[in-house]
Amino acid sequence: AKKSSIRLDSSVVEVRVRRARVETVVYRDAGEKDIEVQGSDVISCIPLPRLLYLLNPRPIRSAAFLDRVTQTFARKYTPTDHR
């Protein structure tokens, strides 16, 4: 059986994609060190606008569009909306 783990006290820096599948995830740990991990399955609770910024390569090349999506999302959903 494969061993799985949950990374706490860390933040995703980049999600590397190949052929429409996540290949690796780079995260920054509590010690500010960037760590790259491979996996066949990734579960994420990252808001979609943020995930778009983290994808490499980006599916949408327009930074202005990504900014608009992020700003709209931020206005519509505040932390109190997630109960």
Side-chain angles (χ1 to χ4, degrees):
K2 290 183 181 181
K3 182 179 177 184
S4 299
S5 62
I6 297 172
R7 307 300 201 275
L8 301 174
D9 295 322
S10 60
S11 58
V12 175
V13 176
E14 184 177 17
V15 178
R16 296 181 180 156
V17 179
R18 185 173 183 185
R19 295 186 185 126
R21 293 191 55 93
V22 172
E23 205 165 69
T24 61
V25 174
V26 179
Y27 70 94
R28 186 164 294 137
D29 66 8
E32 296 295 313
K33 180 179 176 186
D34 287 358
I35 299 168
E36 182 176 0
V37 293
Q38 290 184 315
S40 59
D41 300 296
V42 175
I43 298 172
S44 172
C45 63
I46 298 171
L48 186 56
R50 177 73 181 141
L51 181 60
L52 290 174
Y53 274 110
L54 298 172
L55 291 177
N56 181 9
R58 287 190 180 165
I60 302 167
R61 300 200 189 283
S62 168
F65 173 78
L66 291 175
D67 286 340
R68 283 196 309 275
V69 169
T70 301
Q71 289 169 4
T72 299
F73 183 84
R75 281 195 302 271
K76 284 186 169 187
Y77 302 100
T78 62
T80 56
D81 291 333
H82 305 289
R83 296 180 189 148

